[in-house]
Amino acid sequence: MTVGILGLGLIGGSLARAYALEGHRVLCHDLNEDMLSFAMLAGAVEAPLTADNLAECDLILLAIYPEGAAVWLEENAAFINKDALVIDCCGVKEEICRRCFPIAKEYGFTFIGGHPMAGNQFSGFKYSRANLFEGAPMVLIPDRFDDIELLERAKKALAPCHFGSFSVTTAEDHDRMIAFTSQMPHIVSNAFIKSPTALNHKGFSAGSYRDMTRVAWLNPQMWAELFLENKENVLSELDTLINSLKQYQIAIQNNDEAALVALLNDGKRRKEEVDG
């Protein structure tokens, strides 16, 4: 299989390594030519992905920011083989699916939205690894939900990544859920670390501090774009969190132990309810 990958960051680089490791031909495009050269030296990429060899790709994976991925597909759709499968790996889905489904229909290839639920706080090819996706969930957003053959085709094409599970949903439901499970933790972590007290945390912090602040170290440009692409869902989750925090604040201000215990018990019970 010939795989074309757009972007050589953590996700794109890990995809390249995963497919190359299993003997597939990997072609990549990245604006950073030095990074592309390094990926070729590392054996993750065979050659640059260009308009001349784009039609050779059986699978194309878009692993850059949503706006850039949509623009690239708009500009290069005419060069894509009609038998090719194109999957994006962006963190939000509504806008990119809205733009890319019609492009695929117009030019005759197949597009499916995707979001690999894997990663870490670091970015860039140097942190990529072939087993990044092993056992991780993969979310798929098809244009049609009754096309079982398409879903099986996508799973087969993604087999070298060794995802642990696949879920299928709509772009709207994906973005609503991802605002809570992914985007909010990054906002909260990034805001939490701004406390002046953080400057003196050494010697006073342990696991809970590390867990809370791990994703404060993020890619600002990427996450800003993702938050704004998913603005309404993120604002809704922020309102919910702020209203909840105010309840804790009021209970502590009023020395209301009973109310505080009730709030903490409610949170503990909810954790058991949602995670088991």
Side-chain angles (χ1 to χ4, degrees):
M1 179 166 56
T2 297
V3 183
I5 298 176
L6 181 64
L8 277 171
L10 175 67
I11 299 300
S14 295
L15 289 168
R17 291 183 186 275
Y19 281 93
L21 184 64
E22 299 212 357
H24 298 285
R25 181 185 181 215
V26 179
L27 310 175
C28 283
H29 172 74
D30 194 280
L31 293 177
N32 187 330
E33 294 185 2
D34 290 337
M35 187 61 65
L36 179 58
S37 297
F38 179 76
M40 292 171 65
L41 286 172
V45 177
E46 179 181 302
L49 177 66
T50 67
D52 293 331
N53 60 22
L54 189 52
E56 300 171 22
C57 296
D58 306 293
L59 173 66
I60 299 170
L61 300 165
L62 310 179
I64 61 171
Y65 300 174
E67 175 64 21
V71 169
W72 183 89
L73 195 63
E74 289 166 352
E75 294 177 347
N76 291 276
F79 304 107
I80 296 174
N81 192 309
K82 286 180 170 54
D83 294 326
L85 175 63
V86 180
I87 303 176
D88 87 277
C89 300
C90 302
V92 290
K93 296 268 79 76
E94 283 192 71
E95 180 65 13
I96 195 164
C97 286
R98 182 188 68 78
R99 292 170 65 175
C100 294
F101 282 136
I103 297 171
K105 186 175 182 180
E106 178 182 354
Y107 287 92
F109 59 85
T110 302
F111 173 83
I112 187 168
H115 188 182
M117 303 305 299
N120 54 52
Q121 67 269 38
F122 303 111
S123 60
F125 181 80
K126 67 179 179 178
Y127 296 108
S128 64
R129 62 180 197 272
N131 65 349
L132 180 68
F133 310 106
E134 190 169 339
M138 176 64 173
V139 183
L140 297 175
I141 297 88
D143 193 18
R144 290 174 45 203
F145 288 85
D146 59 350
D147 194 339
I148 303 302
E149 290 184 4
L150 171 60
L151 297 176
E152 288 303 316
R153 181 185 175 191
K155 291 179 183 179
K156 184 177 179 181
L158 293 167
C161 300
H162 299 286
F163 287 106
S165 63
F166 290 88
S167 20
V168 180
T169 187
T170 65
E172 294 78 13
D173 285 345
H174 169 277
D175 287 2
R176 185 162 49 248
M177 184 58 69
I178 220 69
F180 172 73
T181 62
S182 177
Q183 295 176 336
M184 280 296 292
H186 284 80
I187 291 173
V188 172
S189 181
N190 195 264
F192 175 76
I193 199 65
K194 293 176 184 176
S195 167
T197 312
L199 295 171
N200 302 308
H201 81 86
K202 291 183 179 178
F204 296 87
S205 57
S208 56
Y209 170 83
R210 289 193 297 272
D211 292 343
M212 185 72 177
T213 60
R214 182 179 66 83
V215 292
W217 202 89
L218 44 67
N219 181 327
Q221 185 63 47
M222 181 187 77
W223 282 101
E225 182 173 324
L226 292 174
F227 297 151
L228 293 177
E229 287 272 4
N230 202 20
K231 179 179 178 179
E232 297 306 319
N233 290 318
V234 171
L235 286 176
S236 176
E237 290 295 339
L238 277 171
D239 286 341
T240 299
L241 177 62
I242 290 168
N243 289 335
S244 183
L245 287 173
K246 285 180 179 176
Q247 296 178 46
Y248 290 84
Q249 183 183 47
I250 291 170
I252 293 171
Q253 284 176 338
N254 295 338
N255 290 313
D256 191 340
E257 184 176 347
L260 190 55
V261 169
L263 288 168
L264 294 169
N265 262 327
D266 187 48
K268 177 184 177 183
R269 187 165 52 248
R270 189 56 182 267
K271 172 65 175 174
E272 294 170 348
E273 176 189 341
V274 300
D275 288 342

